[in-house]
Amino acid sequence: ELLRHLEAPGCRAAPAFLRALAPVPGEDIAAAFRRSLAPGAPPARPLPPVSADSATRRHVCPAPGCIKAYSSAHCLYIHKRNHHPHLINARRCPPAPAGEVVIEHQAIGINFIDIYIRTGAYPWPVDGNLILGSEGAGVVTAVGEGVSHVAVGDRVGYTLPNGAYATHRAINADLVVKLPDGISSEVAAAIMLKGLTVAYLLNDSYAVKPGDTVLFHAAAGGVGLLAGQWLKSIGATAIGTAGGAEKCALAAAHGFDHVIDYRSEDVPARVMEITGGAGADVAYDSVGKDTFAGTLASLRRHGTAVAFGQSSGPYSDFKIADLGKGSLHLTRPTLFHFATVRSWLESATEK
C-alpha cells in the first residue's frame, strides 16, 4: 500500500523517500523500495533535518484517497486513515519530557492487534491520524528529568498500545526495560508483546500449576508457540489446537503434549478423550467466534475460560447462563492492564 502511494502521479513524498533509500543509478522508487526490504540490505539514509525555527510543513498529496503526505523533518511516521495507511508524515523528533525517554527504533513489532484496529474491531483511541504499532526496541537518545533507571545509549524494549510505526518516539520511562546484550533489538521487538502476553495468561489470568490440564487455541501462532514451551517448563499437560498437519506438527515441536487439528477433529470430544472425561482446568482462547462455544464445552466443572482475542471475529452468542452448566469462570484480560504497572513489568520481563 505504501509503495502504491509513493508511485502515484505527483506524490510529493516520493523524492524524499527515494533519496533516503540510496538508489543505484537508474533505479526507480519501486526497485529501491523492494531492495531495501531484502535480507542484508543497508539501512536507509536519514531524512534531512530542518532548522530549529522551521515549523512542520505538510503538503497535500494528489494520490487517490490521500489527505496529506510529507513534510521535511527528522522523523517519519506512518499513520492510517479510514483503515488504510494513506497518511505519511515526517516531523521533528520529539524532545524528552520529564519522566520520559526518546527511543530511536531499531526494530518494531507488527501484531494482530494492528489488524483489529485497522478493521475497526478495536476502537481508535483518537479521532484521526492514529500511529499504529504496539511494541518496539531501540536506543535511548534523550532522557527527561527524573529518569534514573535508563540512560542515553541504553538499548531498551517496550510494549504499549500504538505509536511504534515511527523512527523515534517519546515514551514514559516506566514502560521501557533494558535489553540484555544477548537479545537483539529485532528479537526484543518480536517478543515483547507476545512474551508478556504469555506471562500474564499463565501467571495472572489463571495461575497454571504442575499437573494442570491446559487447552490453548492457536497453538502454532506466535503466542501459542511460546505458551507451549512455558507450559512444558511448568509441568502442565498442554493440549493445543491448530489448523492442518503442518501447524499441528509445529505446535507439537514446541511443548504441546497433544495437538488437535480443529479442521478435522471435534475439539471438545478430543479434550474429553484426552482427559478421561474430566475436561481442562483452563482454556485460553484468542480466536473467538469459531472456537468459544467449544472452549466452554471443553472445561471441567469450575474450570476457567480466558478469552484474550477474537481473530475469527467476536463471539456474540454468549450468555451468562452458559457458565452455569459447569459453574465456570470467565475472564477477558488485556495485556496493557498489566504491562503499564512498573512492578509487574519488571517481574514479568525477568521471567
Side-chain angles (χ1 to χ4, degrees):
E1 289 178 291
L2 176 60
L3 183 55
R4 285 198 300 271
H5 170 83
L6 294 172
E7 290 183 302
C11 177
R12 297 184 184 181
F17 268 83
L18 189 56
R19 289 194 300 273
L21 293 171
V24 299
E27 192 173 44
D28 62 14
I29 193 164
F33 190 83
R34 293 191 175 97
R35 177 178 48 77
S36 72
L37 300 178
R45 296 171 180 169
L47 294 175
V50 295
S51 61
D53 61 350
S54 175
T56 298
R57 295 182 300 276
R58 295 182 179 180
H59 306 289
V60 176
C61 181
C66 184
I67 307 301
K68 297 169 182 175
Y70 178 77
S71 73
S72 296
H74 288 87
C75 304
L76 176 67
Y77 296 78
I78 301 176
H79 303 243
K80 77 178 203 53
R81 183 184 294 276
N82 298 328
H83 314 313
H84 297 284
H86 283 319
L87 184 62
I88 304 166
N89 178 37
R91 63 182 186 232
R92 191 176 299 108
C93 289
E100 297 190 5
V101 296
V102 173
I103 301 171
E104 179 179 355
H105 285 135
Q106 295 177 322
I108 62 170
I110 299 176
N111 293 280
F112 212 92
I113 189 173
D114 304 334
I115 298 174
Y116 288 150
I117 295 172
R118 286 187 184 278
T119 59
Y122 286 3
W124 279 33
V126 294
D127 290 336
N129 297 348
L130 175 64
I131 302 173
L132 292 172
S134 296
E135 64 183 335
V139 177
V140 174
T141 59
V143 175
E145 182 181 356
V147 177
S148 58
H149 63 283
V150 292
V152 171
D154 284 346
R155 294 175 54 253
V156 297
Y158 70 88
T159 181
L160 179 71
N162 302 309
Y165 285 12
T167 60
H168 300 66
R169 76 175 302 181
I171 187 173
N172 186 330
D174 284 340
L175 303 180
V176 306
V177 293
K178 289 184 180 180
L179 299 180
D181 292 339
I183 297 180
S184 68
S185 294
E186 290 78 9
V187 169
I191 205 172
M192 284 287 292
L193 187 147
K194 288 173 278 294
L196 291 176
T197 295
V198 176
Y200 85 73
L201 289 175
L202 304 191
N203 292 285
D204 299 281
S205 298
Y206 177 92
V208 178
K209 306 176 297 298
D212 278 349
T213 299
V214 177
L215 173 64
F216 207 103
H217 291 294
V223 171
L225 294 177
L226 292 175
Q229 298 170 75
W230 204 318
L231 290 167
K232 176 68 73 174
S233 72
I234 291 173
T237 297
I239 305 172
T241 71
E246 185 177 352
K247 287 187 176 181
C248 287
L250 181 63
H254 286 78
F256 285 94
D257 300 289
H258 309 272
V259 184
I260 302 170
D261 187 341
Y262 63 76
R263 292 180 180 174
S264 59
E265 298 180 274
D266 183 313
V267 173
R270 284 284 290 121
V271 171
M272 291 302 169
E273 178 184 337
I274 292 166
T275 62
D281 295 287
V282 59
Y284 295 98
D285 192 332
S286 64
V287 180
K289 179 180 178 181
D290 292 348
T291 56
F292 193 69
T295 293
L296 296 181
S298 299
L299 290 170
R300 66 167 176 81
R301 185 172 294 179
H302 304 296
T304 298
V306 182
F308 67 103
Q310 51 186 42
S311 61
S312 67
Y315 182 69
S316 58
D317 295 331
F318 173 75
K319 302 179 294 295
I320 292 292
D322 294 341
L323 302 176
K325 62 182 179 181
S327 296
L328 304 177
H329 305 270
L330 171 64
T331 182
R332 204 314 182 185
T334 298
L335 168 62
F336 304 114
H337 292 164
F338 297 93
T340 51
V341 178
R342 181 68 193 180
S343 58
W344 184 92
L345 180 63
E346 290 178 343
S347 174
T349 52
E350 283 295 321
K351 294 174 183 175

